[in-house]
Amino acid sequence: MSTASQATPRLAPGRSGVKKELPDRFKDYRHVWVFLELERGNVHPVSFELLGEGRKLADKLEVQLAGVVLGPPGEMVEDAVAEAFAYGADLVYIVDAPPLADYRNEPFAKALTDLVNTHKPEILLLGATTLGRDLAGSVATTLQTGLTADCTELDVDSDGSLAATRPTFGGSLLCTIYTLNYRPQMATVRPRVMPMPQRVDKPVGRVMRHKLSLVEDDIVTKVLGFLPDNQSAMANLAYADVVVAGGLGLGAAENLQLVKKLARAIGAEHGCSRPLVQKGWMPADRQIGQTGKTIRPKLYIAAGISGAIQHRVGVEGADLIVAINTDPNAPIFEFAHLGIVTDAIRFLPALTEAFTRRLSPHSRDKLAS
Amino acid sequence: MHIVICIKQVPDSAQIRVHPVTNTIMRQGVPTIINPYDLFALEEALKLRDVHGGEVTVLTMGPPMAEDSLRKALGYGADRAVLLTDRYFAGSDTLATSFALSQAIAKIGETFGRPDIVFTGKQTIDGDTAQVGPGIAKRLDLSQLTYVAKIASIDLKTREIEVARRAEGGTQLLKSRLPCLITMLEDTNEIRRGSLQQALCAARSQVVKWTAADAGIDDLTRCGLRGSPTVVKRVFAPTARAESAAQIDTAEKCLQDIADELIANILTRRPALEHELAFNSGT
Ligand SMILES: Cc1cc2nc3c(=O)[nH]c(=O)nc-3n(C[C@H](O)[C@H](O)[C@H](O)COP(=O)(O)OP(=O)(O)OC[C@H]3O[C@@H](n4cnc5c(N)ncnc54)[C@H](O)[C@@H]3O)c2cc1C
């Protein structure tokens, strides 16, 4: 963006003078908590990303990092606990009870709220997934505390408060938000915004087990079933190492074949900018950006994408961004690492062929070995 | 059936520009729209009214000019509009907003009949938090159904509702009870074009305007800046990258050569990629 010059911090008018005086009842709130999201038997990777981030915050504050695992009694929960330790938790709070088998707001919100009220964490982090957002909103309301959504950066201030930075106005600006005078300080972070920490096998730490203060009969909402996504929708775009995406510059739905072919040739996932979803050229779960997925691949190839801020915020974490665009002034060239000013419709087949030529013997070797 | 739907007037963020020197949002001339996600919810509310009868009340909290959005919603076919407006609401974060809205919904219930369903959009395009819906549900003790892709059935006699809800990795089928709060997923509905008659009616109908006191809010410390535990301390523009993309020269080269050069460049910068590429493809 040409408008985004150097970041010059600015105090937001009218909000800077609020004085921080933590009421006595919050003074013993301590430690950093990460909610571990269980998804069909596995821990959602965003929980590990949060443990990595939580570790840094806890170290700065010189407090402990705790994981919170809610689920049905059994292996799934025990595995999640082991994973929490492997990704840096010092202790894990468990609530395991049959009503926690499938996600529903009531029992999960109750379990988490009760844990917070009993053990008083100063910071509570959740993934900004459908589950995490559903849960965080009601827990924060019950606790009457602040919740900052979709943070892109978390830090601890000199006075120990959580500084949560998030995009605002569709990503055109960033703002840093504090939860003054209330505890815990809650924040959600989208998958792939924070890097995945190293997994270390370490001896199991402390476990604190709690009961769920609700029984199935108390719960109004019942789960009737679950339809897993079909194969194509299961594409895990957010976690792909290589992503090829197409934008409106491709001109027609048929030309998306060119993106898919290149993706297939190099073992990548494919994605798109928002207008293609709006036109019905691609399903919504392929959309990359502010209102789509955040990706963090090692290589991102964007063809016919202008690089609007809402797209940019979803791809900035990529290691290497390659842009193909006919317009030398397209904003994408301001954040891409490699750029080619050319017609993507003609260039994509050539690139697919060049990759195939160069890589196929190599990948054959890989498969043979 | 009485349905209340919360909408928000938002700046059309596609058209927002940031002032290059002061890093402030340049709002002048930026048109306002109804938050697009709210329109999916509004259409769902209107469809339910078509089937089950009853009334649709639209509610917004905002400055006096937010009345425009309510008139638009009336033009689409909503029966009644309530504008909650008061200077005490200025600076509300999501906790304070959901407090004010839930109080207003309770008042709407007393005045016009208890709602069976409260709708909100999935999130707004300016705040993007998806927190206000759950906040309202919690305060009004409504069962909370977020990211709903489809309302499968409603039984007004048994007061039961079945919905398909977007979850991680699939779709959850839930059965719950009325009254409930639903946040609608995007792309579920295309908003109808209101009839000319509706547009004319909308222009003439009264928008109910409530202050905090009118809505029965007596604890003003829970509203606006004072009622907001979160405080925005700093607003700044994202850091620009130091240099822009290295351009691969395309002059007088055939596409194949350009492609080879690009691949060479990619692998020079990230040698490890040679081992990643085409590894998962299985071809
Ligand atoms: C609230 C909100 C949320 C949004 N969320 C997202 C989001 O999550 N993700 C997202 O992507 N967008 C999002 N957007 C939309 C975003 O603002 C842009 O409109 C969108 O990213 C533009 O898509 P595009 O680059 O594909 O299309 P365009 O802006 O139309 O750009 C097309 C580009 O292709 C180039 N081109 C044309 N022909 C060719 C050719 N033959 N070969 C190569 N290049 C060519 C053009 O030079 C141009 O740069 C959002 C907008 C709003 C308001």
Side-chain angles (χ1 to χ4, degrees):
Chain A
M1 283 167 310
S2 46
T3 51
S5 51
Q6 229 30 52
T8 20
R10 236 178 51 84
L11 290 177
R15 295 199 174 219
S16 45
V18 187
K19 220 172 160 256
K20 194 185 151 196
E21 263 172 75
L22 197 61
D24 282 341
R25 69 179 193 279
F26 293 127
K27 293 230 162 94
D28 55 341
Y29 277 61
R30 186 143 290 130
H31 307 307
V32 177
W33 284 16
V34 169
F35 171 77
L36 277 94
E37 179 171 335
L38 285 174
E39 177 202 276
R40 317 269 98 206
N42 293 310
V43 180
H44 193 296
V46 71
S47 309
F48 302 141
E49 295 159 14
L50 286 177
L51 282 168
E53 198 59 24
R55 186 72 263 165
K56 288 184 212 153
L57 300 177
D59 289 348
K60 270 199 188 166
L61 290 164
E62 297 178 15
V63 298
Q64 293 198 314
L65 173 68
V68 175
V69 178
L70 313 179
E75 213 175 312
M76 185 163 116
V77 161
E78 304 309 323
D79 289 349
V81 172
E83 288 302 296
F85 289 125
Y87 283 98
D90 300 307
L91 78 158
V92 176
Y93 296 100
I94 306 176
V95 182
D96 55 348
L100 299 171
D102 288 295
Y103 177 74
R104 281 170 298 170
N105 180 271
E106 287 162 273
F108 275 69
K110 180 79 177 127
L112 188 53
T113 311
D114 285 352
L115 277 182
V116 167
N117 283 330
T118 313
H119 295 285
K120 308 182 177 184
E122 57 191 307
I123 294 175
L124 170 56
L125 307 177
L126 300 93
T129 57
T130 52
L131 190 163
R133 284 174 152 212
D134 184 279
L135 180 60
S138 27
V139 170
T141 307
T142 310
L143 298 169
Q144 296 281 303
T145 191
L147 166 59
T148 306
D150 286 26
C151 301
T152 50
E153 215 183 304
L154 297 172
D155 203 354
V156 170
D157 224 19
S158 52
D159 68 352
S161 348
L162 178 69
T165 298
R166 71 179 304 257
T168 180
F169 285 101
S172 3
L173 286 176
L174 297 169
C175 59
T176 303
I177 295 179
Y178 290 79
T179 294
L180 302 178
N181 309 347
Y182 295 88
R183 291 293 178 270
Q185 307 160 91
M186 291 179 62
T188 64
V189 177
R190 296 175 61 161
R192 298 308 267 157
V193 168
M194 305 296 179
M196 181 65 87
Q198 279 293 319
R199 188 180 189 286
V200 283
D201 274 309
K202 78 169 199 189
V204 169
R206 204 148 58 89
V207 169
M208 303 268 272
R209 213 173 276 268
H210 282 259
K211 285 215 165 66
L212 180 67
S213 57
L214 263 186
V215 291
E216 185 58 48
D217 283 349
D218 301 334
I219 303 168
V220 167
T221 302
K222 307 287 175 197
V223 180
L224 301 179
F226 189 87
L227 306 171
D229 288 330
N230 62 32
Q231 216 49 29
S232 79
M234 248 158 57
N236 211 340
L237 193 56
Y239 288 87
D241 279 336
V242 184
V243 175
V244 184
L248 212 49
L250 294 178
E254 307 88 81
N255 291 333
L256 288 170
Q257 280 312 322
L258 306 176
V259 168
K260 291 183 197 164
K261 271 190 193 144
L262 173 58
R264 211 174 309 129
I266 62 178
E269 279 295 344
H270 67 274
C272 65
S273 62
R274 181 157 97 153
L276 306 203
V277 173
Q278 287 170 327
K279 284 180 177 291
W281 294 357
M282 273 214 196
D285 61 344
R286 295 276 177 187
Q287 181 188 319
I288 299 167
Q290 168 92 10
T291 45
K293 295 220 156 68
T294 302
I295 61 172
R296 220 186 161 86
K298 294 177 178 153
L299 174 63
Y300 178 55
I301 302 178
I305 293 180
S306 60
I309 184 71
Q310 294 89 357
H311 189 80
R312 176 182 177 160
V313 295
V315 302
E316 258 171 340
D319 287 346
L320 188 64
I321 300 174
V322 175
I324 306 163
N325 196 304
T326 42
D327 174 7
N329 297 317
I332 194 155
F333 290 127
E334 284 163 34
F335 60 92
H337 302 92
L338 286 171
I340 306 182
V341 179
T342 191
D343 177 359
I345 299 164
R346 292 177 54 230
F347 185 65
L348 283 173
L351 186 59
T352 307
E353 199 194 313
F355 263 123
T356 312
R357 230 186 314 113
R358 168 139 195 172
L359 295 170
S360 50
H362 165 78
S363 45
R364 268 204 303 275
D365 291 351
K366 281 266 179 199
L367 288 172
S369 65
Chain B
M1 179 156 67
H2 186 196
I3 299 172
V4 172
I5 150 152
C6 302
I7 67 170
K8 186 180 181 191
Q9 187 175 55
V10 294
D12 186 351
S13 62
Q15 303 196 34
I16 278 192
R17 296 287 169 270
V18 176
H19 192 283
V21 179
T22 58
N23 278 339
T24 48
I25 294 280
M26 301 197 286
R27 285 169 193 266
Q28 277 120 316
V30 176
T32 54
I33 53 175
I34 298 180
N35 176 42
Y37 295 119
D38 301 347
L39 292 178
F40 301 126
L42 177 57
E43 178 57 29
E44 192 66 28
L46 296 174
K47 268 197 213 154
L48 289 176
R49 184 193 60 187
D50 291 346
V51 177
H52 299 279
E55 287 189 320
V56 172
T57 301
V58 268
L59 165 66
T60 195
M61 178 181 98
M65 71 174 222
E67 188 178 334
D68 294 349
S69 295
L70 292 175
R71 291 210 175 273
K72 257 183 222 136
L74 289 170
Y76 290 128
D79 300 286
R80 179 186 303 111
V82 178
L83 173 63
L84 184 62
T85 188
D86 202 312
R87 63 192 172 85
Y88 291 112
F89 299 135
S92 296
D93 73 356
T94 54
L95 193 77
T97 301
S98 65
F99 171 71
L101 286 173
S102 62
Q103 296 282 99
I105 292 167
K107 186 76 185 183
I108 287 173
E110 284 167 28
T111 319
F112 306 110
R114 191 158 182 225
D116 302 287
I117 302 180
V118 176
F119 276 104
T120 70
K122 180 184 84 159
Q123 63 199 58
T124 59
I125 61 166
D126 56 345
D128 251 344
T129 69
Q131 282 162 204
V132 171
I136 293 172
K138 185 49 85 187
R139 289 174 199 277
L140 293 176
D141 198 21
L142 305 173
S143 66
Q144 168 177 327
L145 304 166
T146 54
Y147 302 101
V148 168
K150 190 176 177 319
I151 297 177
S153 71
I154 291 181
D155 188 329
L156 288 174
K157 275 200 212 79
T158 57
R159 313 272 309 150
E160 280 179 341
I161 180 167
E162 288 183 20
V163 301
R165 156 177 201 275
R166 180 77 217 156
E168 296 294 312
T171 304
Q172 207 180 25
L173 305 175
L174 294 177
K175 177 156 122 181
S176 196
R177 207 183 289 155
L178 300 178
C180 65
L181 177 132
I182 294 179
T183 80
M184 278 317 279
L185 213 56
E186 66 269 38
D187 299 336
T188 41
N189 284 308
E190 191 85 44
I191 186 77
R192 62 187 62 188
R193 288 190 175 279
S195 66
L196 187 61
Q197 198 189 356
Q198 274 166 337
L200 291 173
C201 277
R204 266 183 278 121
S205 19
Q206 281 291 324
V207 166
V208 180
K209 283 177 205 141
W210 282 348
T211 60
D214 297 334
I217 302 175
D218 34 29
D219 188 357
L220 293 173
T221 63
R222 298 175 75 182
C223 298
L225 264 185
R226 276 204 290 171
S228 300
T230 61
V231 168
V232 179
K233 272 243 187 113
R234 232 158 52 95
V235 180
F236 55 103
T239 335
R241 246 170 39 89
E243 82 260 56
S244 45
Q247 292 289 344
I248 308 257
D249 184 16
T250 56
E252 291 168 37
K253 283 187 208 147
C254 72
L255 288 173
Q256 269 311 315
D257 290 346
I258 304 171
D260 283 329
E261 195 178 329
L262 174 61
I263 295 170
N265 261 289
I266 291 173
L267 296 178
T268 312
R269 284 171 184 250
R270 302 277 158 184
L273 275 172
E274 186 147 21
H275 302 280
E276 310 273 349
L277 292 170
F279 188 46
N280 323 323
S281 68
T283 47

